[in-house]
Amino acid sequence: MKIFWLDDQLEQLHWQVLKNSLLTLLLLPLINLGHDFIQQFHMADQIVVYFYALSFTTVAFILAFYGALKTLHTGLTLVTSRLGQYMLYGYRHLPMLCLIGTSIYFSLYLF
């Protein structure tokens, strides 16, 4: 049986992409949980709850954006073929695409 060994830089990129994509996709259940939580309060208390929810989601989106941006600008020169470079380019953009999809879903979900 062949063992598939990745180069150390490529393995680090793989785990970084996986971690940042999962961090971004973790925002979806948090958005739903926050929306359900806000609906339980009376009108007078909703202002404070909305403020905390907006602050929390803003921090979560900033952290997800920073992680996706850091992954996007990872420089690797391991692949010499043209197809391999395009695949690596697309793979590096995966966390940012997850963040864009989550942002679109979030904006459509609230309005």
Side-chain angles (χ1 to χ4, degrees):
M1 182 168 140
K2 270 188 163 178
I3 298 175
F4 184 67
W5 290 99
L6 293 175
D7 190 72
D8 193 37
Q9 288 181 338
L10 194 59
E11 186 177 353
Q12 287 177 356
L13 174 69
H14 172 70
W15 286 112
Q16 190 175 11
V17 166
L18 185 65
K19 178 183 70 172
N20 290 328
S21 297
L22 290 177
L23 174 70
T24 303
L25 292 176
L26 182 67
L27 292 173
L28 290 172
L30 290 177
I31 291 168
N32 190 22
L33 182 68
H35 187 265
D36 292 343
F37 183 69
I38 286 173
Q39 299 301 325
Q40 296 176 357
F41 287 93
H42 299 289
M43 286 296 187
D45 296 334
Q46 279 188 353
I47 294 172
V48 175
V49 173
Y50 272 120
F51 175 73
Y52 285 128
L54 184 64
S55 300
F56 177 72
T57 54
T58 302
V59 167
F61 270 103
I62 287 173
L63 288 175
F65 178 74
Y66 177 72
L69 194 64
K70 196 169 89 171
T71 303
L72 184 66
H73 290 291
T74 302
L76 288 176
T77 56
L78 300 172
V79 182
T80 57
S81 69
R82 194 78 161 154
L83 178 64
Q85 288 176 353
Y86 284 132
M87 288 176 63
L88 190 61
Y89 180 77
Y91 191 60
R92 284 190 333 211
H93 281 76
L94 186 66
M96 193 62 78
L97 291 174
C98 290
L99 183 64
I100 290 169
T102 304
S103 301
I104 290 171
Y105 176 77
F106 181 61
S107 65
L108 293 176
Y109 185 70
L110 289 180
F111 300 111

